Amino acid sequence: MDKNIKTNEQNNKDEKADPQEVKEYGQVTIDKEDDRIHCLTIIGQIEGHVCLPQQNKTTKYEHVLPQLASIEESDSIDGLLLLLNTVGGDVEAGLAIAEMIASLSKPTVSIVLGGGHSIGVPLAVSTKYSFIVPSSTMTIHPVRMSGTVIGVPQTFEYFDKMQDRIVDFVTRNSKITRDRLKQLMLDTGKLAKDVGTIIVGEEAVEEGIIDELGGIDKAIKKLYEMIEENKKEGED
């Protein structure tokens, strides 16, 4: 038998999810007839340049960015399904992932499960279409920093510019207005001992942050529809 020709049994084996990849990176490829979607999870706290304690559940940006580059260049992947349950984390790492997802040429759908807090908001809106389940929450608040802060005007300017980057990204990739997003961020009456707003499920849709209320069934169905439309456009 030609070594380049694989049997059906070998092909089926190759298409099965690698248990190590699921365990280490939370990734799996879903097959349906001729369509293949890559399922990527963003969970726990998004880890940036500083390693978090071992007991923290984290998503490491240095793991996610190469995966996204591979998805963009892979001929066998037709779309991306992003599963989100995050408390937020490093702003620059989160924005880096969000910008990369937003720039993918392939169909992308996100679904917020549990929580899409803080920098999880830009991640949720980074896909071409977004869902949220009814019980999920999203916390919208200003940028904050822990540790030593130098009390000079330049510190405030730095925070203000970082805040603008987040606001610009969210408004560019969703239906919420800049003024309304800032209003939610700076609300002083919604959070105890903090500034910001917690919105739940349907509220996120009403505010224009998320496209639709729904679960995994709707998210996968929508992604397959987008894949089919993308293939038809490619044939024209």
Side-chain angles (χ1 to χ4, degrees):
M1 180 186 294
D2 191 334
K3 291 183 179 179
N4 294 322
I5 300 176
K6 293 185 178 181
T7 64
N8 289 334
E9 184 178 350
Q10 287 173 315
N11 281 324
N12 290 336
K13 183 178 180 181
D14 289 343
E15 290 176 357
K16 290 181 181 178
D18 184 345
Q20 189 68 18
E21 287 188 346
V22 175
K23 180 180 178 182
E24 294 296 328
Y25 306 117
Q27 63 175 354
V28 66
T29 301
I30 304 171
D31 295 284
K32 181 182 178 182
E33 297 176 355
D34 294 330
D35 299 328
R36 301 188 77 195
I37 61 177
H38 188 89
C39 180
L40 177 67
T41 57
I42 304 290
I43 58 171
Q45 192 166 350
I46 297 165
E47 189 176 84
H49 305 306
V50 178
C51 291
L52 295 170
Q54 287 187 349
Q55 67 268 22
N56 287 36
K57 181 72 72 173
T58 64
T59 295
K60 299 177 184 293
Y61 78 105
E62 67 269 26
H63 290 169
V64 177
L65 296 183
Q67 288 182 51
L68 293 172
S70 177
I71 290 166
E72 174 65 21
E73 288 300 304
S74 175
D75 293 331
S76 62
I77 301 296
D78 299 301
L80 172 70
L81 178 65
L82 184 67
L83 304 181
L84 277 168
N85 186 12
T86 177
V87 296
D90 188 281
V91 172
E92 290 194 342
L95 272 181
I97 296 171
E99 286 282 11
M100 203 160 181
I101 293 171
S103 64
L104 289 174
S105 63
K106 298 181 179 182
T108 55
V109 169
S110 66
I111 178 169
V112 181
L113 304 160
H117 305 291
S118 190
I119 201 63
V121 177
L123 286 164
V125 305
S126 65
T127 54
K128 294 178 175 63
Y129 203 86
S130 57
F131 287 88
I132 187 170
V133 296
S135 62
S136 283
T137 57
M138 303 182 82
T139 304
I140 303 168
H141 62 73
V143 173
R144 69 278 306 272
M145 183 181 292
S146 60
T148 303
V149 177
I150 302 173
V152 294
Q154 290 89 333
T155 300
F156 172 77
E157 291 174 8
Y158 172 73
F159 272 78
D160 199 39
K161 287 180 180 179
M162 187 178 291
Q163 190 70 58
D164 280 341
R165 290 163 60 195
I166 295 171
V167 171
D168 288 343
F169 184 88
V170 174
T171 53
R172 192 169 70 242
N173 291 279
S174 69
K175 300 181 184 71
I176 194 169
T177 64
R178 184 182 185 88
D179 289 342
R180 179 55 179 163
L181 182 58
K182 281 197 168 185
Q183 185 181 358
L184 293 173
M185 281 183 168
L186 301 175
D187 196 312
T188 58
K190 300 289 179 65
L191 297 176
K193 299 181 180 179
D194 203 351
V195 177
T197 304
I198 295 178
I199 55 178
V200 181
E202 192 171 352
E203 290 178 287
V205 179
E206 292 172 354
E207 293 288 355
I209 297 173
I210 301 297
D211 291 311
E212 189 175 338
L213 191 72
I216 190 68
D217 55 340
K218 285 188 175 182
I220 291 179
K221 182 180 178 181
K222 179 66 177 179
L223 184 53
Y224 279 127
E225 288 174 359
M226 292 169 66
I227 289 171
E228 289 307 308
E229 290 175 6
N230 192 51
K231 287 184 175 180
K232 288 179 182 178
E233 289 176 2
E235 293 173 357
D236 293 341

